[in-house]
Amino acid sequence: MILKKTAKAVDIAVFITSRSAVEPVTTEEIASGLGLSSSYTESILKDLREAGLIRAHRGPGGGYQIRGNPEDITLWDVVKHFEVLHSFDEVYTDDAHPMKALEADIQRHLQAALAAQTLDDVAIPFMPRDARVSTMLGQFRLKPLPAPVMPRAPNSVFQLSMML
């Protein structure tokens, strides 16, 4: 039903959504994270970029990020750029053929299920340890406490003789 390339495109879009909260995700990170070859990953990234779903940042610190809000991008938005919607009129010329209605219903239900889920719904946010720590430290600008001051007067009557 769904091509392997389509499934991998959804995986890549979800991976980018999960990992690009702090900085763009590189092709190498995506390929190693999903167990894909770099060339196969690049071909899918190219298709996702041409579909307007991701954007690329070049140069040092560059990589890929989702274009727009992941809450507004459904899984169907990704899938429809890789799959062909079939018209079952060509396969089943007889409108009464039971398989024609069945396959059309399956396609309609699949499309509805994918349209009901957004990238944000299925992505698990990933925050690198160092980014989380630096973010927490950056929120609070605490000054060091001053050194404790030793009193110059006696604390009790018994210490009065030592001070004289």
Side-chain angles (χ1 to χ4, degrees):
M1 294 270 255
I2 292 181
L3 299 171
K4 178 182 175 185
K5 185 174 184 177
T6 306
K8 294 304 175 186
V10 171
D11 288 344
I12 289 172
V14 170
F15 189 88
I16 292 172
T17 302
S18 300
R19 303 283 174 126
S20 66
V22 178
E23 59 187 20
V25 185
T26 65
T27 304
E28 291 77 26
E29 289 173 322
I30 297 167
S32 66
L34 296 175
L36 304 172
S37 70
S38 292
S39 61
Y40 187 61
T41 303
E42 286 173 0
S43 73
I44 294 174
L45 288 169
K46 179 181 177 261
D47 292 340
L48 288 171
R49 194 173 59 247
E50 289 174 354
L53 296 170
I54 62 172
R55 64 176 172 246
H57 301 279
R58 295 179 184 245
Y64 295 93
Q65 289 182 309
I66 294 296
R67 182 183 297 266
N69 189 352
E71 294 174 353
D72 299 330
I73 301 171
T74 66
L75 297 181
W76 177 247
D77 292 332
V78 178
V79 169
K80 70 182 177 184
H81 293 289
F82 293 89
E83 291 291 321
V84 175
L85 285 179
H86 297 286
S87 172
F88 296 105
D89 293 334
E90 298 168 3
V91 179
Y92 305 108
T93 55
D94 181 15
D95 286 339
H97 196 287
M99 290 303 292
K100 181 176 184 178
L102 177 66
E103 290 190 24
D105 281 344
I106 290 171
Q107 182 171 292
R108 193 172 27 260
H109 287 303
L110 179 63
Q111 182 178 350
L114 292 171
Q117 295 290 316
T118 66
L119 288 176
D120 194 53
D121 293 337
V122 296
I124 299 170
F126 172 80
M127 186 73 72
R129 286 186 192 163
D130 57 343
R132 191 176 291 162
V133 170
S134 66
T135 303
M136 289 301 295
L137 292 178
Q139 289 179 345
F140 305 103
R141 302 286 183 203
L142 301 177
K143 296 179 183 176
L145 292 173
V149 179
M150 296 302 293
R152 296 194 179 253
N155 281 342
S156 70
V157 179
F158 301 106
Q159 290 180 345
L160 185 58
S161 65
M162 289 189 273
M163 295 297 285
L164 296 174

